[in-house]
Each structure stands twice: as structure tokens, then as C-alpha cells.
Amino acid sequence: MKLDKLKAWFRQASFYAEEAYNSPYRSAIARAKREQDDLFMLLIFSEMMGVPNPASYYTLELQPLLMERFHAWHTRMGMEHSPLDNIKCC
């Protein structure tokens, strides 16, 4: 019984120590993830924007999966409306 309480206390202390250590880096990690996602979206939709994409054959099948995230991406990039004529999301 006492050993279980001690293990639970150490688990809780480990959780709080990990949270305290990681908290300053969360915004940097989130920013890096957004930048990586933005680059990925640019690669996926570059062919439609007129930029030659050497990997278009492989990225074409990903477009349906990313359409729901397209609106958030183009607004984050500073575009009020969709930059693509054939994709209306707003």
C-alpha cells in the first residue's frame, strides 16, 4: 500500500517536472510545426498556383486529405480568399 502511494507520488512529480521543463519550448515547437506544415501545403498546392512541382504525381493524392486545412493555411499566409481559382473554400 505504501509502495503504491510512493510510486504514484513519483509519477505525479515526474509529470510536473516534465511539464515545467517543456513549457518554455512549447511555443517554439508549435511555430516550427506550423512552418513545416506551411511548406508542406505549399508543395502540395504549388502546381495549382503555377509553380512547377517535381513531386506532383505523389502529392496529388494527398490533396483531398488536406482540403479541410487549406482555409486555415491561406488565411495564415495572409490571403483573404483562396489563391486558387478552382478551389473555393471561403
Side-chain angles (χ1 to χ4, degrees), residues 8-84:
W9 185 87
F10 274 116
R11 264 188 248 123
Q12 192 74 15
S14 174
F15 172 75
Y16 285 125
E18 188 175 332
E19 290 295 312
Y21 179 78
N22 291 334
S23 64
Y25 306 109
R26 282 202 181 106
S27 63
I29 291 170
R31 188 179 325 107
K33 183 183 181 318
R34 277 194 309 270
E35 289 174 1
Q36 203 172 41
D37 285 347
D38 293 344
L39 177 64
F40 184 67
M41 292 289 278
L42 182 64
L43 286 174
I44 297 296
F45 292 102
S46 65
E47 190 73 30
M48 290 183 189
M49 289 188 255
V51 178
N53 183 0
S56 62
Y57 176 75
Y58 300 105
T59 58
L60 186 62
E61 64 189 32
L62 296 173
Q63 284 181 0
L65 302 173
L66 297 172
M67 283 307 298
E68 57 196 38
R69 292 175 32 193
F70 183 72
H71 176 72
W73 173 74
H74 79 75
T75 52
R76 193 170 53 248
M77 292 292 107
M79 302 174 223
E80 237 177 77
H81 301 287
S82 172
L84 308 174

